[in-house]
Amino acid sequence: MTTITCIDDLRRLARRKVPRAFFDYAESGSYAEETLHANREDLRRLKLRQRALVDVSQRDLSTTIIGEPAALPLSLAPIGLCGMQHGDGEILACRAAQAAGIPFCLSTLSICSIEDVAAAVSKPFWFQLYVMKDRGVVRALIERAIAAKCSALVLTIDLQVMGQRHADIKNGLSVPPKIRLCNIIDIATKPAWALSILCGKRKTFGNLEGRVPGMENVKSLTSWIAGQFDAALSWKDVDWIRSLWPGKLIIKGVLDVEDARLAAKTGASALVVSNHGGRQLDGAPSSISALPKVADAVGSDIEIMFDGGVRSGQDVMRALALGARSCMIGRAYVYGLGAGGEAGVAKAIDIIRQELDVTMALTGTRSVKEIDRRVIATA
């Protein structure tokens, strides 16, 4: 890890270490990937305002996220199948996040279960919820998150139906991998990955395995998941979830101002401006282009978080300048996980921390609380 200088270094290393089907699962977007690429391109277009001769000898990167102290304005986003990037991947990522003093969010479609992660770490973490047609499963997931003392529930609202990801179809993605010649050859060339998976606690979806009646084998469980996202999901379901969940609620997947206003009325602690990493509606606006409108509309009513294309500390600065209180990273830390397990995730977090620190200094910014649109250079 000593020669790793940026997130893209971690990406290249992960690509060599992780089987293609799982690397592509994390890497790819839906359909033509227009929104996936827009997330990065629109961030890069935002230029930062360089300032000189400002005393920045003391800089403070700390903040609060939904009222809790955080060492950085950063959290690790919920990512499905983390445990297929590296054995026990969710546990390792959570440990790295907690060591860095930032939140970690566990996905409903994780490999390690809520209970696995809770038993392996020392502090509360967040749990992300997909609302499925089987409301009994949803209720049980919420109850398990309560029992595990999860400190926030992140409700994802932009996956009522799944956007098609061409790479997953072409790779024949399954959990665990299908026994096919191409998969066998791919895995055989990645022995460190294979050993980590072999030694991991689980090989399939830990939050659902053994808890769905009639779903005794992996193939039927996977089919069940694909058909369980609920196209009838509405804001009334948010009220129902609020009645079950006693803690802090974060609503993830908001791009439209009207949806932001509705989210603010739910009593949620925060909303996340996000297009699901370009994995759902292809052709949707980039997250960063939607952020200022949402922040202007409801920023005084609800905490704004940002997700979509963050790969550097400069990107964090850009998002905070346009109205976010904090950012989520997904692919950036998944690359670290695939590249080096817990140490790789820690490296990803540290890269972004150092980049944000230097960026603050060179823009004349002493504290993340000072970051606003004045740090963006105007044409």
Side-chain angles (χ1 to χ4, degrees):
M1 290 293 152
T2 56
T3 60
I4 298 293
T5 60
C6 60
I7 297 299
D8 203 46
D9 284 349
L10 291 172
R11 178 187 175 275
R12 285 189 287 266
L13 185 55
R15 189 166 195 165
R16 294 200 299 268
K17 287 189 169 187
V18 178
R20 178 176 177 177
F22 295 113
F23 180 85
D24 285 356
Y25 169 79
E27 172 94 332
S28 63
S30 63
Y31 300 101
E33 300 187 334
E34 293 177 8
T35 298
L36 170 73
H37 296 303
N39 277 346
R40 292 292 303 126
E41 291 163 3
D42 289 355
L43 276 165
R44 282 194 290 258
R45 287 193 185 101
L46 288 169
K47 303 308 177 186
L48 298 168
R49 184 184 177 200
Q50 179 175 302
R51 299 298 308 278
L53 298 180
V54 178
D55 182 354
V56 289
S57 56
Q58 301 295 322
R59 299 184 297 282
D60 183 8
L61 278 65
S62 66
T63 187
T64 60
I65 301 176
I66 58 169
E68 299 295 326
L72 295 168
L74 196 69
S75 58
L76 301 193
I79 301 290
L81 278 64
C82 260
M84 285 291 155
Q85 302 293 324
H86 191 288
D88 291 339
E90 292 89 3
I91 291 172
L92 302 182
C94 188
R95 285 174 174 166
Q98 292 187 350
I102 63 174
F104 167 83
C105 186
L106 181 70
S107 170
T108 292
L109 299 183
S110 58
I111 300 300
C112 292
S113 69
I114 300 170
E115 293 79 9
D116 292 337
V117 178
V121 301
S122 59
K123 300 174 185 175
F125 53 92
W126 299 350
F127 179 68
Q128 175 265 339
L129 180 71
Y130 285 129
V131 179
M132 301 177 182
K133 292 176 183 176
D134 188 333
R135 293 298 197 265
V137 172
V138 175
R139 181 188 291 270
L141 284 169
I142 294 173
E143 290 171 350
R144 290 166 61 193
I146 293 169
K149 297 181 171 56
C150 291
S151 53
L153 186 72
V154 178
L155 174 63
T156 297
I157 63 171
D158 60 356
L159 210 150
Q160 290 169 272
V161 296
M162 286 190 67
Q164 180 170 297
R165 298 152 201 171
H166 298 336
D168 293 348
I169 295 172
K170 292 175 179 177
N171 292 331
L173 179 71
S174 67
V175 181
K178 291 178 181 177
I179 306 301
R180 302 193 310 186
L181 180 60
C182 60
N183 290 339
I184 293 171
I185 293 171
D186 192 12
I187 291 170
T189 63
K190 298 168 176 64
W193 176 89
L195 180 61
S196 78
I197 298 298
L198 184 65
C199 296
K201 291 179 179 294
R202 299 182 189 274
K203 311 298 182 286
T204 186
F205 301 104
N207 289 323
L208 300 174
E209 183 183 20
R211 297 177 183 271
V212 183
M215 300 295 156
E216 287 80 15
N217 60 72
V218 172
K219 183 177 179 182
S220 62
L221 179 60
T222 305
S223 300
W224 180 87
I225 290 169
Q228 270 294 310
F229 295 112
D230 192 356
L233 183 66
S234 72
W235 289 102
K236 292 180 181 178
D237 294 293
V238 179
D239 295 335
W240 175 68
I241 289 164
R242 289 290 297 156
S243 72
L244 299 175
W245 175 254
K248 295 175 181 178
L249 178 68
I250 299 170
I251 296 178
K252 183 176 183 288
V254 175
L255 276 186
D256 185 83
V257 168
E258 186 56 33
D259 287 340
R261 292 192 176 106
L262 292 169
K265 292 177 182 177
T266 65
S269 299
L271 66 81
V272 186
V273 175
S274 171
N275 53 35
H276 214 100
R279 294 163 68 81
Q280 282 296 99
L281 176 60
D282 199 29
S286 67
S287 294
I288 197 65
S289 68
L291 174 62
K293 300 170 189 175
V294 171
D296 288 345
V298 300
S300 60
D301 303 319
I302 188 171
E303 186 168 323
I304 307 293
M305 301 169 68
F306 176 81
D307 167 70
V310 174
R311 301 287 188 277
S312 66
Q314 293 91 332
D315 291 339
V316 173
M317 171 73 88
R318 291 166 172 134
L320 267 58
L322 296 190
R325 173 78 67 83
S326 64
C327 293
M328 284 184 157
I329 55 170
R331 291 180 178 93
Y333 89 81
V334 166
Y335 295 148
L337 184 62
E342 183 176 347
V345 178
K347 185 68 173 181
I349 297 168
D350 190 56
I351 285 169
I352 290 176
R353 182 194 64 78
Q354 290 189 48
E355 289 172 343
L356 177 59
D357 185 42
V358 171
T359 302
M360 287 172 56
L362 296 180
T363 56
T365 308
R366 301 180 183 89
S367 167
V368 296
K369 298 179 181 65
E370 296 177 3
I371 300 172
D372 58 24
R373 295 182 193 184
R374 289 174 293 180
V375 306
I376 301 295
T378 56

